[in-house]
Amino acid sequence: MANNLYNTQVTPKGYKRGGGVKKPGKVRSLIGKVRKKFLPTFGEQFSDAKKSGKKTFKSTRDDKTKGKLEYNTKTAVEVKAAKKRMSDRERARVGDTSKQLSDKGAAFKLARKSGKKEFTHKGKKYTTLLKGEKEKKPLISKGRFGSQINISKPELSGKTSKKIKKFIGA
């Protein structure tokens, strides 16, 4: 008995306990209908266009560009799902360049695959090393059969190498 009485109580704001919301009165509902007809929100315009099967719609709610911009009726989730279904070649046909290599990127890829140290693009020279990658040093050969040890040749500073070359006479 007490539970039944508790559930039917109404709070001062007009909400029933249990999550129900009080419906607007006749005057407010009339004002709401008129507003929806003459000043619909962007979301209402979007849902109406989507229900009617339109691909695009013009919004009348923008302050600066009233009715000038066209909006798509696809949601972000739908666009993402459609992109997943398309191959790279289909995306290129549509005009999406997000997954395609630039001219410089394609030249870099080709030069790196062919084993070159440098490549030229639009008159400028670029290296094929990746960021943080260092150039491989030649290995020291040892013995009569030319076996190689994984010790890179020591690199001398500019002044030291000049002194050695002077001394040797090279």
Side-chain angles (χ1 to χ4, degrees):
M1 186 82 172
N3 267 348
N4 193 13
L5 211 109
Y6 177 79
N7 289 336
T8 57
Q9 288 177 341
V10 178
T11 63
K13 290 183 180 175
Y15 297 106
K16 285 188 178 180
R17 291 190 184 183
V21 179
K22 187 178 174 185
K23 292 184 179 180
K26 290 181 181 181
V27 175
R28 284 223 170 171
S29 63
L30 180 70
I31 292 171
K33 286 178 186 176
V34 170
R35 185 203 52 80
K36 278 186 181 179
K37 190 170 185 175
F38 294 106
L39 292 169
T41 61
F42 183 84
E44 290 168 349
Q45 291 176 5
F46 175 83
S47 60
D48 288 343
K50 195 162 181 77
K51 283 177 189 172
S52 63
K54 294 180 181 177
K55 289 186 179 182
T56 59
F57 71 98
K58 290 184 179 183
S59 176
T60 57
R61 291 295 287 202
D62 298 338
D63 291 336
K64 296 176 184 173
T65 57
K66 287 187 180 173
K68 292 179 185 173
L69 294 177
E70 284 198 18
Y71 297 94
N72 199 339
T73 55
K74 287 184 181 178
T75 61
V77 175
E78 291 170 344
V79 170
K80 196 172 186 180
K83 275 190 178 181
K84 275 188 178 178
R85 286 192 297 262
M86 286 197 288
S87 68
D88 288 346
R89 189 170 285 177
E90 288 170 333
R91 276 195 208 102
R93 226 180 290 136
V94 173
D96 181 13
T97 57
S98 62
K99 295 272 183 170
Q100 293 178 340
L101 285 175
S102 62
D103 292 339
K104 184 180 171 186
F108 170 82
K109 186 177 180 180
L110 185 68
R112 192 166 167 89
K113 270 192 174 179
S114 61
K116 294 180 181 177
K117 290 183 179 181
E118 290 183 343
F119 69 98
T120 310
H121 177 70
K122 293 187 178 177
K124 289 186 179 179
K125 283 190 175 183
Y126 298 97
T127 181
T128 55
L129 295 176
L130 296 171
K131 187 176 183 180
E133 191 177 34
K134 292 182 180 176
E135 192 173 335
K136 293 180 182 176
K137 306 260 180 358
L139 300 174
I140 298 173
S141 57
K142 179 187 175 191
R144 35 183 152 143
F145 301 111
S147 62
Q148 292 185 336
I149 305 171
N150 278 337
I151 304 170
S152 60
K153 289 183 180 177
E155 203 175 285
L156 302 173
S157 67
K159 288 181 180 179
T160 311
S161 63
K162 283 179 185 176
K163 285 179 185 176
I164 292 170
K165 285 178 185 175
K166 237 184 211 181
F167 183 74
I168 295 172

